[in-house]
């Protein structure tokens, strides 16, 4: 391998999401004239992708089973972002672990809670020693939830003794899924069958913070923080709220943030969706005839490398409203963004997170190193970067002035 230092490396760049990330970075003004690389297992695919990108990034053909090659790759850069899921079956631990050992910052898009828990146990202390920031939840799961909870709680100006209830409600999540989503589901099924993932683990709200007991533990524990029997309920702000399929993933990331900041005994977090979110999804799909009216149908059973059609990558979007409430005060934050949440928006968020690790001053975040989260590893530096991405037209951060609790 060449020895020129690289700003960052995108591993898994030839997959569906990886291509979106690489394409976004290729046109990013902050990378113009700077060396970066795309990496993966197949040189021919990497060469084809690099040839299509204007900046012709360097290509690194590395099999994650090859520990020596993986170590040599991560030593070329200060940041690796990994798009090659499912991480529990694609040797993701080898890449994350090499970064933790070498002091190279790292993030990925895993929503596999059991695998994330394994990474915390195996590499948190190692990353603290080396100075590596390993950021869990680098996409729509779970940047919006984690940053919105961080902003809302910080707006309360609460007394140290105050207990805080934070709730996230997704009001828009218009998108689809990819072959990678299906593969992740299969990986989860294999983990259940093998015993790597158990029913107790699935219900554990603090799965990502071993041996920690927080405020949620006072009631029957659920991963999403909602009541155990909750399916739907009337709501004064949203008419009705329902279960949200991403909530268990997001809520655990937020709780890891709370544990890392030693706030888990005072602050609880729950997440759900509004009925309006589901209406908006159905409305977008039906208004376009599932994409058939546009000649770009949504693939109901996408294979590896396939995902949402271009119109949905462009026209989709997400919005989460988060309230932080004490007995006397309430603060509200709303984060929204453009593009299919899991792909069009995630690819931009993930790329910007990588650039934040590589180029921004994030030394004022609450944690210097370890297996962290977006808010603890990057904090306000990431908020600022995302609010400015694409000239401020990609993501919006809106905070309502502090009010008396009803």
């Amino acid at each position: 391998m060449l020895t020129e230092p690289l700003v960052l490396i995108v591993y898994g760049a030839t997959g569906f999401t990886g291509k979106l990330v690489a394409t976004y970075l290729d046109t990013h003004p902050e990378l113009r004239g700077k060396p970066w690389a795309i990496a993966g297992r197949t040189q021919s695919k990497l060469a084809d992708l690099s040839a299509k990108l204007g900046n012709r990034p360097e290509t690194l053909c590395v099999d994650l089973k090859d520990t020596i090659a993986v170590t040599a790759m991560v030593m070329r850069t200060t940041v690796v972002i990994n798009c090659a899921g499912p991480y529990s079956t694609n040797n993701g631990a080898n890449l994350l672990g090499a970064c933790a050992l070498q002091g190279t910052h790292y993030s990925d898009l895993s929503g596999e809670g059991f695998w994330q828990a394994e990474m915390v146990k195996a590499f948190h202390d190692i990353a603290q020693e080396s100075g590596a920031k390993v950021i869990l939840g680098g996409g729509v799961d779970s940047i919006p939830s984690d940053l919105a909870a961080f902003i809302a709680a910080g707006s309360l100006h609460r007394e140290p003794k105050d207990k805080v209830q934070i709730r996230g409600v997704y009001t828009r999540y218009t998108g689809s899924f990819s072959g990678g989503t299906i593969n992740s589901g299969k990986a989860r099924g294999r983990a259940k069958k093998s015993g790597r993932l158990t029913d107790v683990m699935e219900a554990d709200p603090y799965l990502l913070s071993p041996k920690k007991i927080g405020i949620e533990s006072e009631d029957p524990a659920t991963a999403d923080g909602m009541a155990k029997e909750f399916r739907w309920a009337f709501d004064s702000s949203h008419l009705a709220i329902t279960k949200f399929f991403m909530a268990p993933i997001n809520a655990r990331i937020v709780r890891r943030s709370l544990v890392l900041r030693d706030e888990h005994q005072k602050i609880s977090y729950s997440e759900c969706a509004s009925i309006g979110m589901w209406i908006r999804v159905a409305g977008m799909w039906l208004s376009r005839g599932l994409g058939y009216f546009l000649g770009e149908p949504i693939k109901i059973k996408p294979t590896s490398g396939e995902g949402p059609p271009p119109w949905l990558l462009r026209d989709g979007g997400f919005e989460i409203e988060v309230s932080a409430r004490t007995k006397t005060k309430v603060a509200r934050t709303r984060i929204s963004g453009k593009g299919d949440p899991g792909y069009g928006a995630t690819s931009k968020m993930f790329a910007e997170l990588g650039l934040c690790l590589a180029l921004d001053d994030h030394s004022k975040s609450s944690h210097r190193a370890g297996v962290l989260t977006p808010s603890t590893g990057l904090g306000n530096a990431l908020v600022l970067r995302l609010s400015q991405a694409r000239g401020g037209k990609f993501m919006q951060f809106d905070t309502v002035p502090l009010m008396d609790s009803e």
Side-chain angles (χ1 to χ4, degrees):
M1 290 185 180
L2 299 174
T3 57
E4 183 182 16
L6 299 166
V7 173
L8 83 167
I9 295 171
V10 182
Y11 192 87
T14 60
F16 184 81
T17 306
K19 286 180 181 177
L20 294 174
V21 172
T23 301
Y24 181 81
L25 288 171
D26 186 55
T27 60
H28 203 288
E30 290 180 88
L31 271 187
R32 193 167 295 129
K34 295 183 174 71
W36 60 288
I38 55 175
R41 294 181 300 173
T42 308
Q43 178 58 39
S44 59
K45 292 182 179 180
L46 291 167
D48 287 346
L49 177 58
S50 181
K52 294 174 183 177
L53 299 175
N55 288 320
R56 302 291 192 271
E58 186 177 337
T59 61
L60 306 173
C61 185
V62 176
D63 192 318
L64 296 187
K65 294 178 183 178
D66 187 340
T67 303
I68 295 175
V70 170
T71 299
M73 176 177 69
V74 303
M75 291 178 69
R76 289 282 314 279
T77 186
T78 58
V79 176
V80 174
I81 54 176
N82 183 8
C83 304
Y87 300 88
S88 62
T89 58
N90 281 350
N91 300 293
N94 290 352
L95 181 51
L96 186 154
C99 289
L101 283 164
Q102 298 301 325
T104 300
H105 301 321
Y106 169 94
S107 189
D108 60 44
L109 298 170
S110 176
E112 303 161 272
F114 67 94
W115 182 80
Q116 292 174 322
E118 292 170 357
M119 298 303 98
V120 170
K121 183 177 180 180
F123 298 114
H124 180 62
D125 291 344
I126 291 171
Q128 283 187 312
E129 286 291 321
S130 72
K133 289 187 176 183
V134 175
I135 309 294
L136 302 179
V140 75
D141 51 328
S142 303
I143 287 175
S145 300
D146 193 41
L147 291 186
F150 167 67
I151 295 168
S155 300
L156 272 179
H157 308 300
R158 63 189 185 277
E159 296 295 326
K161 66 181 186 333
D162 287 344
K163 289 193 174 183
V164 183
Q165 292 181 327
I166 303 180
R167 170 161 293 179
V169 181
Y170 262 91
T171 58
R172 185 158 52 99
Y173 200 92
T174 46
S176 184
F177 50 91
S178 73
T181 306
I182 294 174
N183 290 337
S184 292
K186 291 178 179 177
R188 179 181 173 279
R190 288 192 291 270
K192 285 277 287 185
K193 190 174 182 179
S194 69
R196 191 175 176 184
L197 171 63
T198 66
D199 291 340
V200 171
M201 292 169 66
E202 285 197 302
D204 185 359
Y206 292 92
L207 180 64
L208 305 186
S209 303
K211 300 181 181 179
K212 295 296 183 180
I213 297 175
I215 196 169
E216 283 90 348
S217 304
E218 296 174 5
D219 297 312
T222 60
D224 62 8
M226 304 300 289
K228 200 165 188 177
E229 66 279 2
F230 174 76
R231 293 294 176 271
W232 71 276
F234 291 112
D235 180 82
S236 59
S237 299
H238 304 286
L239 298 180
I241 53 174
T242 70
K243 300 281 280 188
F244 180 46
F245 57 93
M246 300 297 295
I249 298 170
N250 297 333
R252 287 189 179 117
I253 292 290
V254 174
R255 290 191 202 102
R256 177 151 183 81
S257 296
L258 297 176
V259 167
L260 288 168
R261 290 194 291 265
D262 196 26
E263 296 175 330
H264 57 294
Q265 296 290 348
K266 296 291 183 181
I267 304 178
S268 65
Y269 182 79
S270 61
E271 187 169 294
C272 57
S274 71
I275 191 68
M277 187 199 86
W278 300 106
I279 293 172
R280 288 184 178 95
V281 172
M284 173 169 276
W285 283 34
L286 293 175
S287 68
R288 292 159 174 80
L290 301 184
Y292 285 97
F293 294 166
L294 305 175
E296 297 174 343
I298 296 171
K299 293 183 181 293
I300 303 302
K301 293 183 178 180
T303 60
S304 293
E306 294 182 330
W311 65 268
L312 192 51
L313 290 174
R314 180 187 66 247
D315 298 339
F318 69 88
E319 182 175 276
I320 183 172
E321 297 180 3
V322 172
S323 61
R325 186 183 301 271
T326 67
K327 287 184 178 180
T328 59
K329 299 290 182 181
V330 60
R332 292 187 172 90
T333 295
R334 180 174 60 246
I335 297 179
S336 58
K338 295 181 179 179
D340 176 292
Y343 306 95
T346 277
S347 59
K348 297 178 182 67
M349 273 188 273
F350 195 41
E352 294 288 357
L353 185 150
L355 291 174
C356 188
L357 283 168
L359 302 176
D360 295 349
D361 177 8
H362 41 81
S363 61
K364 293 181 181 178
S365 63
S366 62
H367 286 68
R368 184 189 70 87
V371 180
L372 308 174
T373 61
S375 69
T376 56
L378 296 170
N380 288 318
L382 183 58
V383 173
L384 178 62
R385 172 170 282 277
L386 290 174
S387 67
Q388 294 177 342
R390 289 286 172 93
K393 297 179 180 179
F394 167 47
M395 286 179 67
Q396 285 74 49
F397 293 74
D398 302 302
T399 299
V400 176
L402 189 66
M403 299 182 297
D404 292 333
S405 184
E406 298 174 357

